[in-house]
Amino acid sequence: MSEFTIIRLGHQGDGIAEGPVFAPMTLPGEVVSGTLDGNRLRDLRIVTPSGDRVAAPCRHYKSCGGCQLQHASDTFVADWKLGVVRQALAAQGLEAEFRPIVTSAPKTRRRASLSVKRTKKGAMAGFHARGSDVIIQIPDCQLLNPNLMAAIPVAEKLATIGGSRKGELSVLVTLSEVGLDIAVSGGKELDEPLRLALSAETETHKLARLAWDGEVIGQREPPVQRFGKALVAPPPGAFMQATPDGEAALLAAVREIVGNAAQVADLFAGCGTFALPLAERAEVHAVEGEAAMVAALDLGWRRAEGLKKVTHEARDLFRRPLMPDELRKFDAVVIDPPRAGAEAQVRELAGSEVPKIAFVSCNPVTFARDARILTEAGYDLQWVQVVDQFRWSAHVELVAYFTGKDV
């Protein structure tokens, strides 16, 4: 077995030694030993531990791939995630003021994608092991909300009914205001007997909704989420923020940036996470590529009380971004693109006269690329708020405040 000194962490949370050699569950400065398998270190042993090393709070951590950083202190993880964003900006020649990171508490995840497979004795649900398709059961998970944990036996029962021994089900479970919202993919093709069996499970487990490969099988009540004063029932599988306090931190930063703006555009609006709370003070135009999410947002707005006007548009902002003349009437823009960023839309924003931009991102690298486009056009990056709602993972989210050329 050879010894290696860990130099830094990669963006996936693995330690990296010279080579590069990748060593999971290690920290910078540690001396480790193990057996090289390609460029990865197996059979790891910590020879000299870091002062930032802590005992993992979850007994599943060594085998489960759901978390990557439980072996590191909270302070280390916070500093590392701030550093990831700083480095991404520095690579584009940018720097910014950073606000203190906001981290979600343990056991607050309200949404998870479970891997589920039939077995000889029934079924098993959990997360994949690191770098493997082996499913690890997680009865004492420290990440998921306890009410979400109730979905695990439900997912296993669904696999015994509609899964195959060869394949694997993906079961997306979400806590709604009225119970569990479950969307299954990868199962058997629906026929009448399977529909009846799944419908019975919806009643047995008192699920808010059960969808199978995009088709709603049963719905006892609309699986509503609260966005400010509005209650919205997202379509099956629709994007949502992972934790309530993480969403609250993102929204607080966005609200601060938008301030007293009277006309706001919300781009990549989803089901209204930002648009509907912002409508308490401003008229909002929500733009989203998925028509079903736009419809859910609109229905939530129409049924809510005390909100200003919310207009909406189903539009592919990658292929058909809002142009500067369309952006002219807005006092502020909120943009929350997927991991790929929003280069086409950002180039049009850069050519606009919008005075304030609240940029929400889940990828520091594409954010930094888009931030450079804005700053080169004369926008100023005022500050960055990092939000760690994917606790113990390598995932980083942020909100950034840009002011226009004349602000």
Side-chain angles (χ1 to χ4, degrees), residues 371-388:
R372 182 176 178 179
I373 295 170
L374 291 171
T375 56
E376 286 182 342
Y379 277 88
D380 290 321
L381 175 52
Q382 299 293 334
W383 49 257
V384 174
Q385 170 71 71
V386 176
V387 177
D388 182 10

Side-chain angles (χ1 to χ4, degrees), residues 102 104 110 225-228 239-254 272-274 277 387 389 397 399:
V102 178
S104 293
R110 63 181 175 192
Q225 303 289 339
R226 183 174 295 280
F227 299 143
F239 171 79
M240 272 189 58
Q241 299 295 342
T243 68
D245 50 350
E247 180 179 296
L250 295 172
L251 176 59
V254 167
T273 302
F274 302 120
V387 177
Q389 64 173 326
E397 300 203 6
V399 180

